[in-house]
Amino acid sequence: MKQRVVFLPEGVAVEVLPGTPLFRAAVLAGIEIKSSCGGKGSCGNCLVKVEEGKAEIKSTGKLSREKQEEGYVLSCQALVGDEGLRVMIPSESRLEEHRILYDRPENGEAEDDACLAPEGIPLCTQFKLALDPPSIDDNTSDLSRLRLALRREMGLNRPETEINISTSALKNLAGALREGDWKVTVILAHFQRYAEIVAIRAGHDDRTVYGLAIDIGTTTVAIYLVDLLTKKVVGQHGDFNRQARYGDDIISRIIYAAEEEQGLQELQFAVISTINDVVEELREKAAIPEEDIVQVVAAGNTTMTHLFLGITPRFIRLEPYISTVSTVPAVKAGTLGLKVHPEAWVNSFPQVASYLGGDIVSGILYTNLAHKDDIILFLDIGTNGEIILGNKDWMVGCACSAGPSFEGGGITFGMRAMSGAIERTVIDPVSLEAQVKTVNNARPLGICGSGLIDCLSSLKGAGIIDRVGSFQADLPTPRLRRGEGGWEYVLVWAKDSAGVGDIVITESDVKTLIRAKGAVYAGIRTLLRMLELDESVITKVIIAGGFGNYLHIHDAIRVGLLPDLEYHKFEFIGNSSLKGACLGLLSREALDEAEETARMITYLELSVGTTFMDEYVAALFLPHTDLTLFPSVESVENRI
């Protein structure tokens, strides 16, 4: 018999079967709770308080005895029993609105036109045709008549260029031709060797047609709504990827998809529903119906692309690490459940390898890297650090697992870049006092990735931690203290936080961050060593993605995350995955180029051989065991 669970303070109720985790019940109630571990009970982020009733507890994880006595439980480990429950979800356990990165900031504002109009034609276009009506002497079929008119309009003289037609358009063809007195508006999708009539409207319809460019990130989903006739972005919106409820990182999601009975379907539904809600917001603002969106282009890493299409990612994480698909076939939107025209084609950017995906290929397209003479280092740093080195003649790439710490995962007070997240940390080296800046200048709730790098740099600069990340216990400041899990530094006192108590960074957090930054830098060094090059050959470092966009170069070099190069060589380009998807949407030739680029990249598997591991161990210091690799940092160290 189903039991009633009421979630506070909203008072939202849901009825579920006994044995259902509270975390799952909250999802069914439309409430998103933080989780980094995919429901394994290890992260402790999904804390809730049982106000009335009794839940069956599978595990308490790292939950303190004090919290347990107060009625707190881990929602993923607390099961609904044989009686109803009233459950309070504290603010620190909730997933709130994320900061979504669309464009590179320019003077605090986004670019007006996120997409430069590329050469070529969009993947889907519109033609207004006037057909010769049939007669008793001309009994050509409606479809043949339409194809002939299209060929004339498009200048297609070769009979081998096939023009197909969707089933729904074919059913509508006869009525539309006669209703429009043999004038019709045709929506045509373009492929390499053929085209397809997606839809037909009676008469010469003045409505425009739209496409979607989508960046499917591990953490967030960002979308452009694009007018395919004017090649202008007319709307942009995004949200957190609801797959996050199953784990912060792609490995957690692969495991969930493989091990849970309906895991793959749940993960696909989570991302599709995220996209649909964002699209609905865009449509309502632009006042357009679903059927006017006739083309979709998506870019994401290999795992995100598989989950988006409902393809198992199981073997991506199993040696020899093979994905199901690299060059991704186009599919119809209706088969995915996207709320656009059901006959709209959905194109996905090609993948390079299991951990080097379409998002990085899309970024390369946007940066025009494949046409550059100079050697460029391209970084997209997140849960999975993707790295490309090369130019127009050659490109090599690798992926290094930095873990979820750059997204706030696995850190005591880590969080994503939401309101209240500390994004800037400065510690005075004399007073050892901390100053923080938060997203939206809200009261502090925790600390996000860019704030963590600042914090690590400031802790080292103030002498609070040494080169291996150990706290210096004899410093004269009340902010440095021994907590339950060891030494910790108080970033924000409880009186100044958003009701979450003292916000601290622990020695364990510091070591986790050092491992994460070490993995990224080791990936860079491994690529250089394999090519027998050194960092001096790099003329530019292009940094993409949300985490990278808010990095401070000085601090990132100081901790050994980025190579010690002149600051002018670093360029932040924002969400290059989204912008590249937009270029692909607006140019068949650009999307074809992306496929050529993906084939051009030589993928380096870091688990083969010992080079990466040697570099990784050497990078587990601040900034590195070899200070000659960081001359600007070494000079400061020597002065101190």
Side-chain angles (χ1 to χ4, degrees), residues 44-59:
N45 289 336
C46 63
L47 198 68
V48 299
K49 185 177 183 180
V50 178
E51 300 277 9
E52 293 181 15
K54 186 176 181 180
E56 178 185 337
I57 308 302
K58 290 170 55 181
S59 169

Side-chain angles (χ1 to χ4, degrees), residues 3 9 92 131 215 243 248 263 315 322 340 382 427 433 458 467 522 559 562 565 592 626 639:
Q3 299 297 326
E92 59 267 28
L131 279 65
D215 167 45
Q243 290 180 344
D248 274 348
F315 301 103
I322 303 300
V340 298
I427 300 174
E433 287 295 302
S458 292
R467 290 185 62 204
V559 302
L562 298 178
L565 301 172
D592 293 343
D626 183 2
R639 287 200 301 270

Side-chain angles (χ1 to χ4, degrees), residues 20 39 45 52 76 101 120 132 151 184 254 290-291 306 319 324-325 347 356 408 416 427 468 494 502 524 548 617 627:
T20 302
N45 289 336
E52 293 181 15
C76 67
L101 185 64
D132 295 329
R151 286 184 178 279
V184 289
I254 292 173
E290 289 181 9
E291 60 267 23
H306 278 59
E319 194 172 347
T324 300
V325 63
N347 292 79
L356 202 61
R416 299 186 182 96
I427 300 174
V468 297
D502 295 339
I524 297 170
V617 172
L627 280 177

